[in-house]
Amino acid sequence: MPVAASAVYFLNLRGDVLINRLYRDDVGGNMVDAFRTHIMQTKELGTCPVKQIGGCSFFYMRISNVYIVIVVSTNANVACAFKFVVEAVALFKSYFGGAFDEDAIRNNFVLIYELLDEIMDFGYPQNLSPEILKLYITQEGVRSPFSSKAAERPVPNATLQVTGAVGWRREGLAYKKNEVFLDIVESVNLLMSSKGVVLRCDVTGKILMKCFLSGMPDLKLGLNDKIGLEKESQLKSRPTKSGKTIELDDVTFHQCVNLTRFNSEKTVSFVPPDGEFELMKYRITEGVNLPFKVLPTIKELGRTRMEVNVKVKSVFGAKMFALGVVIKIPVPKQTAKTSFTVTSGRAKYNAAIDCLVWKIRKFPGQTEPTLSAEVELISTMTEKKSWTRPPIQMEFQVPMFTASGLRVRFLKVWEKSGYNTVEWVRYITKAGSYEIRC
Amino acid sequence: MSRNDSKYFSTTKKGEIPELKEELNSQYKDKRKDAVKKVIAAMTVGKDVSSLFTDVVNCMQTENLELKKLVYLYLINYAKSQPDLAILAVNTFVKDSQDPNPLIRALAVRTMGCIRVDKITEYLCDPLQRCLKDDDPYVRKTAAICVAKLYDINAELVEDRGFLESLKDLISDNNPMVVANAVAALAEIQDNSSRPIFEITSHTLSKLLTALNECTEWGQVFILDALSRYKASDAREAENIVERVTPRLQHANCAVVLSAVKMILQQMELITSTDVVRNLCKKMAPPLVTLLSAEPEIQYVALRNINLIVQRRPTILAHEIKVFFCKYNDPIYVKMEKLEIMIKLASDRNIDQVLLEFKEYATEVDVDFVRKAVRAIGRCAIKLERAAERCISVLLELIKIKVNYVVQEAIIVIKDIFRRYPNTYESIIATLCESLDTLDEPEAKASMIWIIGEYAERIDNADELLESFLESFPEEPALVQLQLLTATVKLFLKKPTEGPQQMIQVVLNNATMETDNPDLRDRAYIYWRLLSTDPEAAKDVVLAEKPVITDDSNNLEPSLLDELLVNIATLSSVYHKPPDAFVTRAHSSAQKTEDDDYPEGSESESSANPANGPASPPTSSYTIPASVAPASPPFAAPVPDLLGDLMGMDNSSLVPIDQPTTPSGPPLPILLPASTGQGLQISAQLTRRDGQVFYSMLFENNSQVPLDGFMIQFNKNTFGLAAAGPLQIPQLQPGTSARTLLPMVMFQNMSQGPPSSVLQVALKNNQQPVWYFNDKILFHVFFTEDGRMERATFLETWRSLPDSNEVSKDFPSIVIGGVDATVELLATSNIFFIAKRKNANQDVFYFSAKMPRGIPLLIELTTVVGNPGVKCAIKTPSPEMSQFLFEAIETLLRS
């Protein structure tokens, strides 16, 4: 059964109910007590997101300082339930203009009740597209001061659009200037052994789009991916142009993309929602350009002293630079004193996370700054167990660089009125979980 | 417009309710709206605002949509508690369902369907009929779901009014969202009905597959889930279906992807072409891997499902093991599941890489994860013969780190490796023995002792090693005691020298005299007897060659796996249990079909977890290998004759068991047969008389000598039962019998540990050795006479208990013939009849009872009178007792 929920609760960290909505009669109104006593107040919390208590099952997720708990008593579709929560939170955020936390919920509880009534019926998720819901649920959320424009007048034929085949875009949009912004955001996940062997490496990328386009435009996106290019040259019976092609391991698309067409023609064509959305996600494991190499040497000198040397090498073009680089180098709990020298940036010892934190605000390409530190430890006789050495973790952002090498080849916009469109493309690569064992 | 709703949560000190009442009746619209918001805020934080019902309903007739929605929300919450007042709202509902604004029409129908009050339901039918045919698709899609709501409240009404037909018509609607909701509603109704209502023909199938392209993401999930049970007629049709479903794998919504995978896997069973299958496997891998970059909770669901998928189709992810490597910051539940899948995907090709990972995990911080990683190395060793040696060397490296729990876990898995590859890796025993004194966990100790016993002939100082354990024998947990006993016997058989001989004396003495653990005692007696009568036979038994184990401990049984694969993406696939194992409120009609699946008497548990059944072969890698498997005796069964034999009472078995003429009253179950008790036969049962619990006992002396000086002692038990006074039995002449009622008290000598209904009794007299026997405590003797409840109290109690306190169980073979007789029968055991109602063709009976210390017990029995199958649901503040309660109720109903 694709039922996703019999009841939904929003709780704060103390377990107080912020919002509750019962969709079905098969769970009691006081189920949240069971959740509190059997999960929240025990060590269970956080050990498993799906839990059976008595005849009911609980699925829960923590988002900022709020627990969202779903209760069911049937064999519900768990994947559907979690995805519903994720989407609902995104919807609320778009109404509140950003944050989703306890205060935002309290400030908007009437709106949330109204939305909850609309986005799920008898436990079945309905339309959750913010664009469409904003047509007829026009209560404004309490927005943060920096949020954008106010909602417009309700549209008379809202109901047709909710249920329409293009259930994510309303008709009759008009912009003076037609613009599309494309952001290609990649996160690099890396796990490297202490000897510099890549154990696991992949890139998860997403293409974020911001559309300000009039009417009902048809869009077509071309990337330098291998399959798409091959198919194209096949269709046009023309040899593939030389240049780098990328092999995508997997792609997933926003619901606006015609999947059947993608399957047969390998083209990404769609009618976009208005405003901001995530067009597609992809994953790449082959041929990843790692932006940084990290070479650590950590020596334990006896029981009380450690020598740490870390060299970080940027391997992207010399004209580019990375921003917000943070390198967290773990040290043992019983660290007493640290002293270090760095050739670039600043470093300090953070006792709360047992790490040396080395920050470099602007990190040019083709450079290799180093950190060398001496760590003194409190000698403890009782500690028989040796230090477990967690991995070095790294954070960064490299603008105008894609670890995968993916490029947008074209974005065609076609609308019957035949207007001209301005397209903007940006690339950025971030660290996902970038870990180097030491 | 800047507004902040949080102000509605702030309360004024003086009487809140009267103040709200006043505001709700204000003449100003804005004030009324604010007041309703305050009411909803109060409702959210759990305050009872039901007394404002009339006032809130008065605000319902309004043009303001926002206010209307709030009032409707209030109605959904409180209509049930105020059914008489709820009727006030009906008019507005009916009027709203004809409003020109489709949003209001839909809102009215949607809300009416959520109000489960009969009077409202009556009025729902006409508007619903209209809305199902509404011009606006938004109203139709809402009405479609509403039919499912109504079916849940009153199935007959839905069928009588022809709503099912209307719903089926909606499958051909031109709006995809209406189609999707109609499919969801029909699928749910079909789930709860035994009649065929929603049958998917190849025609509907193809229509729905076309609709897939245009549906919202959720609609796609509804349709894919409904279609996944469709059985294609041949391989060609299956291939066709798969081809049309495959594009869904690229959807960004994880639920769509999993439902598509479910459907493809079902159809793949029919596809014969290996090329097509291979190609499909290739296509499914990337989307499954992509699920692992979602939120951790979704990853968890995906991993539990992948676990099932790789058991059926190992090739899908055979080359993707790297994506299951744990990230340092993964939540623990994701790490544990990844580890499980890594073991499943480990092969000769990737084992080196996998071992490096496991070794890395074994040095992490989280103890449970570390243990699981160590265990994983062992399981790989058992699974991959060619890699076993490498696995062992990693384990040895880990032992050298000397982290206590790593060492212990390693020893446990090495024991399993020895059982898988006998006589291959014994050279490492010396290394293991170095860590002997650090072991403090029972399982690790038991494993080490097993190793010493098994290889006693190769360990020079085996006797010294075992002796070091013997000093603490009486304090050791049962697991270790049993292993020590067996290991000492092995040692003695292998090295029958003076040292081991003394040891065996000590152990046997300890295990027979100083212990109250019947398993240990029984095993000790068996060994004793074997050793004293025929040492050669003892060798054959104790040192017999053990079957080689395999690692199938974590693989599911094929039939269960089939069932789980049909349920991909649902709870069932996350729990790895069939749905009926955890869905307690299966609807009445669905119940019947389930009963068909399980023939009488068998319990669903046994099919769910075959490894724990008594019939499972002793090859599971996680049972402590024992030369003689101790079969735990079934409850209340007479002690097997074997014991009497073993104790050397040659003549006892010759004594005929003649049934003496029993005095009046029902015969008591025999607990100690004469053949065991050297002619003394004891029958006994707990009973309740005049508000007190007694142990009703019958002693029969079939021996040649008079018996006197009877004394009785009860072992610690879950209910703390103990004798309230001395046992008064006069001297029993040969051939005579005596009856007694021994008064009992509760909560005297409570045992710790898991609840159990076993009552262990020890009895002695001046002529014979001490007799031990087991009785089964029947819970119904504890029901007190004051358990009768008023209907109102019953309802109130039922409501006040959380649903988690409700447990239910089916007795598939029990027939309730006469209602009156059953009610009377239960009343004699202080289970009192409260009410009866009819639900479809079934009767539902309600009973109440009271347990000691005034704990109430509410019982609901659902059955078709005269037909087999009774569903029993109980609700009580102490649900941990439910197992006993079910046993008691079942026994009573059977009698």
Side-chain angles (χ1 to χ4, degrees):
Chain A
M1 255 200 322
V3 160
S6 288
V8 180
Y9 291 94
F10 293 67
L11 308 177
N12 66 10
L13 296 185
R14 281 211 316 267
D16 303 332
V17 179
L18 304 174
I19 297 274
N20 67 326
R21 175 69 213 251
L22 282 158
Y23 287 106
R24 284 174 167 255
D25 203 37
D26 57 351
V27 299
N30 45 7
M31 284 322 298
V32 71
D33 298 335
F35 179 77
R36 263 188 232 123
T37 47
H38 292 284
I39 298 178
M40 280 192 95
Q41 294 162 2
T42 63
K43 279 193 221 141
E44 289 282 335
L45 191 66
T47 56
C48 182
V50 181
K51 188 86 197 158
Q52 188 184 2
I53 306 172
C56 291
S57 294
F58 293 77
F59 321 145
Y60 64 97
M61 244 177 169
R62 182 177 161 173
I63 288 157
S64 84
N65 56 359
V66 177
Y67 282 103
I68 301 181
V69 184
I70 282 188
V71 191
V72 297
S73 77
T74 52
N75 183 26
N77 190 320
V78 194
C80 206
F82 277 128
K83 188 68 187 172
F84 170 77
V85 172
V86 172
E87 298 267 300
V89 170
L91 172 70
F92 297 147
K93 279 184 179 166
S94 115
Y95 263 94
F96 312 155
F100 176 86
D101 52 22
E102 187 179 346
D103 288 338
I105 292 174
R106 280 195 197 277
N107 290 339
N108 293 287
F109 84 98
V110 175
L111 171 65
I112 296 179
Y113 272 125
E114 195 176 344
L115 287 171
L116 283 176
D117 194 43
E118 195 57 50
I119 59 179
M120 181 171 263
D121 193 5
F122 203 43
Y124 294 101
Q126 304 290 307
N127 200 332
L128 269 84
S129 307
E131 269 311 296
I132 294 299
L133 287 165
K134 280 178 186 168
L135 290 179
Y136 63 103
I137 296 187
T138 48
Q139 287 196 48
E140 243 183 297
V142 176
R143 286 162 170 270
S144 56
F146 305 106
S147 66
S148 55
K149 60 185 169 138
E152 287 147 48
R153 294 288 313 145
V155 179
N157 60 350
T159 55
L160 293 176
Q161 301 206 10
V162 183
T163 55
V166 184
W168 52 85
R169 186 182 179 88
R170 61 193 156 109
E171 284 167 29
L173 289 165
Y175 288 96
K176 250 186 209 150
K177 196 175 173 191
N178 290 294
E179 283 181 302
V180 183
F181 297 87
L182 269 181
D183 275 337
I184 309 215
V185 183
E186 297 196 335
S187 333
V188 197
N189 298 305
L190 171 77
L191 182 63
M192 197 184 263
S193 78
S194 52
K195 298 187 180 72
V197 181
V198 175
L199 297 173
R200 189 195 59 220
C201 171
D202 62 87
V203 171
T204 52
K206 49 189 174 188
I207 301 187
L208 301 174
M209 243 185 148
K210 220 183 257 178
C211 284
F212 302 110
L213 296 171
S214 315
M216 276 292 186
D218 267 314
L219 272 68
K220 203 166 154 186
L221 176 73
L223 302 167
N224 61 338
D225 71 299
K226 203 171 162 193
I227 303 170
L229 282 171
E230 274 169 9
K231 193 83 189 179
E232 193 175 304
S233 60
Q234 231 178 62
L235 290 172
K236 294 182 181 165
S237 59
R238 199 171 39 184
T240 325
K241 274 180 231 144
S242 57
K244 202 183 173 196
T245 58
I246 307 300
E247 200 161 341
L248 300 178
D249 283 24
D250 187 34
V251 226
T252 57
F253 294 106
H254 185 267
Q255 55 168 330
C256 69
V257 176
N258 187 330
L259 292 179
T260 317
R261 195 143 152 212
F262 174 77
N263 219 41
S264 56
E265 297 168 26
K266 301 290 168 204
T267 54
V268 183
S269 47
F270 54 101
V271 180
D274 193 39
E276 205 174 335
F277 72 103
E278 187 181 292
L279 175 69
M280 63 179 269
K281 269 198 215 164
Y282 56 89
R283 199 163 44 75
I284 289 167
T285 44
E286 297 299 323
V288 177
N289 313 314
L290 292 174
F292 290 101
K293 289 213 166 104
V294 181
L295 308 160
T297 39
I298 296 182
K299 278 187 220 148
E300 286 173 70
L301 308 167
R303 280 178 167 279
T304 58
R305 237 159 50 82
M306 251 175 57
E307 218 176 72
V308 179
N309 279 295
V310 179
K311 189 197 281 179
V312 181
K313 220 166 142 180
S314 57
V315 282
F316 44 86
K319 282 180 190 159
M320 291 194 274
F321 50 84
L323 296 173
V325 178
V326 180
I327 301 136
K328 291 182 188 155
I329 303 145
V331 290
K333 256 198 162 26
Q334 65 269 29
T335 297
K337 210 175 123 195
T338 54
S339 60
F340 27 63
T341 50
V342 289
T343 57
S344 169
R346 272 192 294 179
K348 63 175 187 218
Y349 165 59
N350 184 335
I353 53 171
D354 296 317
C355 279
L356 301 177
V357 181
W358 179 19
K359 290 184 182 172
I360 303 168
R361 198 169 293 159
K362 197 166 170 181
F363 196 134
Q366 304 296 336
T367 54
E368 38 178 283
T370 54
L371 169 143
S372 42
E374 270 201 21
V375 179
E376 280 178 37
L377 308 173
I378 306 165
S379 85
T380 45
M381 299 307 285
T382 48
E383 195 73 29
K384 238 206 278 181
K385 196 174 142 185
S386 65
W387 178 44
T388 59
R389 291 203 179 194
I392 294 181
Q393 295 182 308
M394 203 172 161
E395 294 164 22
F396 54 80
Q397 293 190 354
V398 193
M400 298 322 285
F401 173 83
T402 50
S404 64
L406 193 80
R407 285 278 178 270
V408 172
R409 289 194 302 126
F410 61 82
L411 177 68
K412 288 179 189 156
V413 180
W414 187 88
E415 217 274 337
K416 51 180 186 263
S417 64
Y419 54 73
N420 283 327
T421 328
V422 187
E423 292 126 35
W424 305 89
V425 183
R426 278 194 301 188
Y427 301 93
I428 190 164
T429 293
K430 294 185 200 169
S433 111
Y434 209 86
E435 295 175 348
I436 298 95
R437 287 178 181 159
C438 52
Chain B
M1 187 171 78
S2 132
R3 189 191 51 219
N4 194 322
D5 290 348
S6 57
K7 65 169 183 274
Y8 300 113
F9 288 96
S10 59
T11 54
T12 48
K13 283 279 179 284
K14 60 172 183 179
E16 202 187 2
I17 298 277
E19 203 168 280
L20 279 173
K21 206 179 184 86
E22 194 179 306
E23 286 175 36
L24 283 170
N25 291 312
S26 156
Q27 51 179 325
Y28 302 109
K29 260 194 214 155
D30 283 351
K31 202 155 192 190
R32 287 208 300 270
K33 192 160 143 187
D34 274 6
V36 176
K37 284 187 185 177
K38 280 184 199 161
V39 171
I40 301 287
M43 185 178 95
T44 303
V45 296
K47 280 183 202 144
D48 183 16
V49 284
S50 60
S51 57
L52 295 167
F53 198 87
T54 337
D55 309 281
V56 176
V57 172
N58 280 339
C59 300
M60 190 172 167
Q61 286 215 19
T62 169
E63 292 302 304
N64 186 318
L65 196 56
E66 191 191 344
L67 178 57
K68 195 183 273 290
K69 285 181 179 170
L70 289 173
V71 176
Y72 278 10
L73 183 67
Y74 177 89
L75 275 171
I76 294 174
N77 271 282
Y78 286 111
K80 226 176 162 185
S81 59
Q82 309 264 358
D84 298 327
L85 292 173
I87 199 86
L88 292 173
V90 163
N91 269 334
T92 320
F93 274 131
V94 174
K95 213 174 111 215
D96 281 356
S97 73
Q98 286 163 308
D99 195 278
N101 183 345
L103 288 173
I104 295 187
R105 293 203 294 279
L107 180 65
V109 172
R110 185 164 67 215
T111 313
M112 273 178 103
C114 294
I115 299 178
R116 303 169 65 94
V117 172
D118 288 342
K119 282 175 195 152
I120 296 233
T121 315
E122 285 167 31
Y123 288 95
L124 172 62
C125 291
D126 291 330
L128 182 56
Q129 202 118 48
R130 269 198 307 277
C131 289
L132 281 166
K133 305 241 166 2
D134 200 286
D135 286 340
D136 196 301
Y138 181 79
V139 181
R140 291 202 299 279
K141 72 121 186 160
T142 311
I145 295 282
C146 191
V147 176
K149 294 181 190 169
L150 187 59
Y151 193 89
D152 193 39
I153 306 171
N154 192 338
E156 273 171 51
L157 197 60
V158 170
E159 289 176 21
D160 292 350
R161 297 290 297 250
F163 286 135
L164 291 180
E165 282 65 39
S166 312
L167 202 53
K168 281 184 215 163
D169 291 343
L170 291 184
I171 294 185
S172 316
D173 200 284
N174 56 15
N175 184 296
M177 199 155 173
V178 178
V179 176
N181 277 3
V183 168
L186 278 170
E188 174 167 346
I189 291 172
Q190 179 65 79
D191 256 14
N192 297 333
S193 167
S194 47
R195 290 196 305 116
I197 289 170
F198 180 42
E199 281 177 304
I200 300 168
T201 60
S202 61
H203 178 66
T204 24
L205 177 89
S206 115
K207 207 158 49 181
L208 290 177
L209 285 176
T210 316
L212 264 187
N213 277 326
E214 294 174 345
C215 277
T216 64
E217 39 194 339
W218 313 107
Q220 297 183 18
V221 179
F222 306 161
I223 291 180
L224 288 170
D225 275 5
L227 293 185
S228 65
R229 278 161 207 260
Y230 177 78
K231 299 268 177 290
S233 56
D234 54 26
R236 245 190 60 212
E237 192 186 7
E239 279 180 44
N240 254 326
I241 296 173
V242 166
E243 196 177 317
R244 297 177 67 179
V245 174
T246 336
R248 299 298 123 202
L249 293 174
Q250 248 66 55
H251 205 288
N253 186 319
C254 62
V256 176
V257 173
L258 277 175
S259 291
V261 167
K262 162 161 60 186
M263 181 135 182
I264 294 172
L265 283 173
Q266 292 311 310
Q267 301 303 337
M268 264 166 87
E269 299 293 318
L270 278 172
I271 297 176
T272 41
S273 152
T274 45
D275 276 356
V276 177
V277 170
R278 198 181 314 126
N279 200 7
L280 282 173
C281 287
K282 231 167 96 189
K283 275 191 181 154
M284 272 191 285
L288 286 173
V289 173
T290 299
L291 293 177
L292 299 183
S293 50
E295 289 73 14
E297 290 83 359
I298 293 177
Q299 285 186 46
Y300 173 74
V301 175
L303 286 165
R304 293 292 284 174
N305 277 288
I306 289 172
N307 189 320
L308 298 173
I309 295 168
V310 297
Q311 285 187 47
R312 171 55 44 89
R313 304 262 171 202
T315 51
I316 293 186
L317 294 163
H319 301 282
E320 303 282 357
I321 195 162
K322 275 190 179 182
V323 302
F324 298 101
F325 287 3
C326 299
K327 294 180 185 160
Y328 190 72
N329 289 330
D330 278 337
I332 182 72
Y333 52 85
V334 167
K335 284 185 177 173
M336 293 293 215
E337 295 305 321
K338 281 186 173 172
L339 211 53
E340 199 61 50
I341 293 170
M342 283 171 75
I343 300 170
K344 291 211 159 71
L345 295 179
S347 66
D348 286 330
R349 207 163 33 78
N350 58 26
I351 186 69
D352 287 326
Q353 220 176 1
V354 170
L355 279 177
L356 275 177
E357 280 296 306
F358 286 162
K359 200 179 148 194
E360 189 73 32
Y361 305 158
T363 59
E364 277 199 24
V365 201
D366 190 300
V367 177
D368 288 337
F369 181 58
V370 170
R371 283 174 182 276
K372 192 153 176 148
V374 177
R375 241 169 229 242
I377 300 173
R379 279 169 61 189
C380 284
I382 290 166
K383 185 178 155 187
L384 307 168
E385 186 164 4
R386 272 188 282 172
E389 199 165 342
R390 277 170 281 169
C391 296
I392 289 181
S393 68
V394 172
L395 286 172
L396 288 178
E397 281 172 49
L398 289 174
I399 288 178
K400 281 183 193 129
I401 305 175
K402 290 208 181 302
V403 176
N404 194 290
Y405 51 84
V406 173
V407 174
Q408 310 215 37
E409 205 65 38
I411 285 177
I412 295 170
V413 298
I414 287 176
K415 176 248 334 176
D416 288 333
I417 296 175
F418 283 173
R419 287 218 56 196
R420 170 72 177 79
Y421 309 106
N423 308 318
T424 321
Y425 299 110
E426 284 72 29
S427 53
I428 66 168
I429 290 176
T431 322
L432 300 185
C433 291
E434 287 166 19
S435 340
L436 207 60
D437 47 341
T438 61
L439 305 181
D440 53 10
E441 290 164 21
E443 202 184 348
K445 261 191 190 175
S447 300
M448 193 64 219
I449 294 167
W450 181 84
I451 293 172
I452 297 173
E454 189 65 19
Y455 298 102
E457 71 274 27
R458 308 188 198 191
I459 308 171
D460 293 337
N461 58 345
D463 45 349
E464 285 168 36
L465 294 176
L466 280 182
E467 207 162 7
S468 65
F469 285 106
L470 284 183
E471 287 157 20
S472 55
F473 187 90
E475 290 88 48
E476 295 289 357
L479 185 67
V480 179
Q481 288 180 327
L482 285 168
Q483 276 317 318
L484 262 177
L485 171 62
T486 309
T488 321
V489 173
K490 284 180 187 165
L491 174 71
F492 173 71
L493 289 171
K494 289 177 177 180
K495 295 184 182 172
T497 52
E498 198 177 322
Q501 184 142 23
Q502 274 173 5
M503 281 164 67
I504 197 108
Q505 280 300 335
V506 175
V507 173
L508 286 178
N509 260 329
N510 260 316
T512 49
M513 303 301 196
E514 312 284 330
T515 179
D516 49 7
N517 177 346
D519 282 350
L520 181 65
R521 205 171 45 226
D522 287 359
R523 200 192 282 188
Y525 275 130
I526 289 169
Y527 286 150
W528 199 330
R529 179 79 198 253
L530 265 174
L531 291 173
S532 55
T533 47
D534 189 351
E536 279 312 306
K539 262 188 188 167
D540 289 345
V541 172
V542 180
L543 303 180
E545 205 164 296
K546 276 157 283 296
V548 171
I549 60 165
T550 53
D551 180 51
D552 51 6
S553 50
N554 286 61
N555 280 340
L556 297 164
E557 211 199 332
S559 62
L560 176 63
L561 185 58
D562 280 339
E563 190 174 359
L564 296 182
L565 285 170
V566 177
N567 284 302
I568 279 180
T570 67
L571 260 183
S572 167
S573 71
V574 172
Y575 291 151
H576 290 187
K577 285 181 193 164
D580 42 311
F582 59 89
V583 176
T584 48
R585 286 162 189 270
H587 285 259
S588 45
S589 39
Q591 204 68 51
K592 256 193 221 151
T593 52
E594 278 163 25
D595 289 349
D596 292 344
D597 293 346
Y598 297 108
E600 291 187 40
S602 83
E603 280 163 24
S604 54
E605 282 297 302
S606 62
S607 70
N609 202 348
N612 294 341
S616 71
T619 53
S620 153
S621 58
Y622 294 114
T623 46
I624 288 287
S627 312
V628 181
S632 53
F635 296 135
V639 179
D641 291 351
L642 183 66
L643 190 57
D645 268 1
L646 281 170
M647 291 162 86
M649 309 305 155
D650 300 344
N651 57 343
S652 60
S653 58
L654 299 172
V655 176
I657 316 164
D658 46 355
Q659 196 64 43
T661 49
T662 40
S664 59
L668 299 167
I670 299 169
L671 298 180
L672 181 75
S675 52
T676 313
Q678 298 178 13
L680 173 67
Q681 176 160 300
I682 299 171
S683 323
Q685 192 171 34
L686 284 168
T687 66
R688 186 179 189 89
R689 273 186 209 174
D690 308 324
Q692 214 199 329
V693 182
F694 291 96
Y695 203 40
S696 171
M697 304 185 80
L698 172 67
F699 293 79
E700 292 160 72
N701 184 359
N702 296 325
S703 71
Q704 308 303 320
V705 288
L707 300 171
D708 60 9
F710 285 98
M711 280 160 86
I712 194 163
Q713 184 78 46
F714 295 90
N715 196 358
K716 285 183 179 169
N717 54 75
T718 305
F719 306 100
L721 275 174
L727 183 65
Q728 287 170 337
I729 293 285
Q731 191 183 51
L732 267 187
Q733 293 301 326
T736 62
S737 67
R739 253 177 188 271
T740 184
L741 276 178
L742 177 67
M744 303 285 282
V745 286
M746 289 187 74
F747 307 118
Q748 278 282 318
N749 49 349
M750 313 271 287
S751 71
Q752 304 302 318
S756 149
S757 61
V758 177
L759 180 65
Q760 294 175 340
V761 188
L763 191 115
K764 66 173 255 189
N765 56 45
N766 289 344
Q767 284 72 28
Q768 294 178 313
V770 180
W771 301 119
Y772 298 94
F773 52 89
N774 284 352
D775 193 2
K776 185 179 172 179
I777 301 172
L778 277 175
F779 203 90
H780 58 80
V781 301
F782 300 137
F783 295 145
T784 53
E785 281 68 17
D786 57 346
R788 190 182 290 282
M789 257 187 210
E790 290 303 314
R791 275 173 99 132
T793 333
F794 181 87
L795 282 174
E796 201 177 295
T797 320
W798 187 279
R799 242 181 258 130
S800 69
L801 290 170
D803 281 1
S804 54
N805 281 10
E806 185 176 338
V807 204
S808 72
K809 190 173 177 179
D810 287 307
F811 309 129
S813 61
I814 289 186
V815 186
I816 293 193
V819 177
D820 294 340
T822 309
V823 168
E824 217 164 280
L825 174 82
L826 291 176
T828 55
S829 297
N830 295 330
I831 299 179
F832 301 101
F833 177 71
I834 301 282
K836 172 187 154 179
R837 74 180 169 93
K838 248 196 146 32
N839 179 12
N841 59 339
Q842 298 187 311
D843 291 293
V844 189
F845 302 91
Y846 294 92
F847 297 91
S848 74
K850 199 180 258 182
M851 294 183 265
R853 295 182 171 169
I855 301 169
L857 165 69
L858 312 177
I859 306 169
E860 178 194 79
L861 296 178
T862 312
T863 186
V864 178
V865 171
N867 286 344
V870 177
K871 181 175 180 241
C872 174
I874 58 173
K875 212 166 180 183
T876 158
S878 37
E880 65 281 359
M881 290 294 165
S882 54
Q883 137 198 19
F884 309 118
L885 296 170
F886 285 131
E887 273 171 20
I889 294 167
E890 188 176 5
T891 318
L892 286 173
L893 288 176
R894 272 193 205 286
S895 60

